Amino acid sequence: MKGSFFHFFLATVAVSVSAFSEIAPNAPPASNGAQYMPGAVAPLGFWDPLGFASNADVNTLKRYREAEIVHGRVAMLVTVGTLAGESLHSGPVISHLSITPKPLWVFLLFSVSFIELIRAQIGWVEPELVPPDQPGMLRANYVPGNLGFDPLNFAPRDPLEFKVMQTKELQNGRLAMIAAVGIMAQETVDHKGILEHLFG
């Protein structure tokens, strides 16, 4: 068990360090500009082994990036929430869903619905204005993931620094998605919380 934790720890550190690497300078040409989007870091650079980006038009590519950012943000919340939840209640966090009070579920449903409605209004073109062959069209001036919510003014004003920060968020989100899946898989297999594995 300690060996598997050591490997997990090394992988976590390696991916975390890459979140602060420079943006990879070399990228293959693509007609949709995918190689210039944030998220390509050394040593892999622009990495698209299944060809999703190279086979996508600009709008589809922006939707892919929007989905990646949103899933990364949710995964970061899940990962931190898992650790917080298990520090307050013993046992695996996946078992906590059954003891969650119903009013909290209602609150979560309305909160998530409200946030998604705001996100759709900011990022997506109104359905009646979208051509039938381009469903889910994003606004031309919309930057995927940028909802204009920055109360602490973390976002740099310099475009290059902003791109570096976007890359860091993408890398941390990618790591969090892997971590969240690993946590859920581990807890499903042995019915022990992650904190039990680390400290118990």
Side-chain angles (χ1 to χ4, degrees):
M1 188 59 67
K2 289 189 177 181
S4 62
F5 172 73
F6 179 72
H7 291 109
F8 172 78
F9 177 75
L10 282 181
T12 303
V13 170
V15 176
S16 298
V17 169
S18 72
F20 298 97
S21 302
E22 293 181 16
I23 296 173
N26 299 327
S31 60
N32 57 17
Q35 73 273 24
Y36 302 113
M37 294 178 77
V41 294
L44 294 177
F46 177 71
W47 192 64
D48 184 29
L50 299 179
F52 286 119
S54 58
N55 297 326
D57 60 20
V58 174
N59 185 58
T60 303
L61 190 64
K62 284 176 70 174
R63 282 190 291 127
Y64 287 165
R65 178 47 52 89
E66 176 75 13
E68 181 181 18
I69 291 171
V70 170
H71 284 87
R73 288 174 179 170
V74 169
M76 287 187 272
L77 289 171
V78 166
T79 304
V80 171
T82 297
L83 299 176
E86 289 186 6
S87 66
L88 297 174
H89 299 283
S90 62
V93 79
I94 57 173
S95 67
H96 295 179
L97 294 175
S98 61
I99 60 171
T100 303
K102 289 194 179 12
L104 182 59
W105 281 111
V106 173
F107 172 75
L108 288 173
L109 175 67
F110 281 105
S111 299
V112 171
S113 299
F114 177 75
I115 292 168
E116 286 298 302
L117 179 63
I118 297 297
R119 191 169 71 94
Q121 290 174 338
I122 292 172
W124 275 260
V125 175
E126 290 77 7
E128 62 271 12
L129 303 177
V130 176
D133 61 337
Q134 298 182 28
M137 178 183 283
L138 293 172
R139 298 184 191 281
N141 61 347
Y142 176 66
V143 176
N146 188 358
L147 301 177
F149 181 74
D150 186 23
L152 300 177
N153 291 319
F154 281 140
R157 301 290 175 243
D158 179 66
L160 184 58
E161 289 180 13
F162 185 70
K163 187 175 181 180
V164 170
M165 182 171 241
Q166 286 178 305
T167 298
K168 290 177 181 178
E169 181 186 17
L170 283 162
Q171 289 298 94
N172 285 302
R174 291 165 180 166
L175 173 62
M177 287 187 272
I178 294 169
V181 169
I183 287 170
M184 288 185 278
Q186 181 69 47
E187 292 188 352
T188 302
V189 169
D190 65 6
H191 306 290
K192 290 183 180 178
I194 290 301
L195 294 182
E196 289 181 66
H197 284 286
L198 296 177
F199 304 110

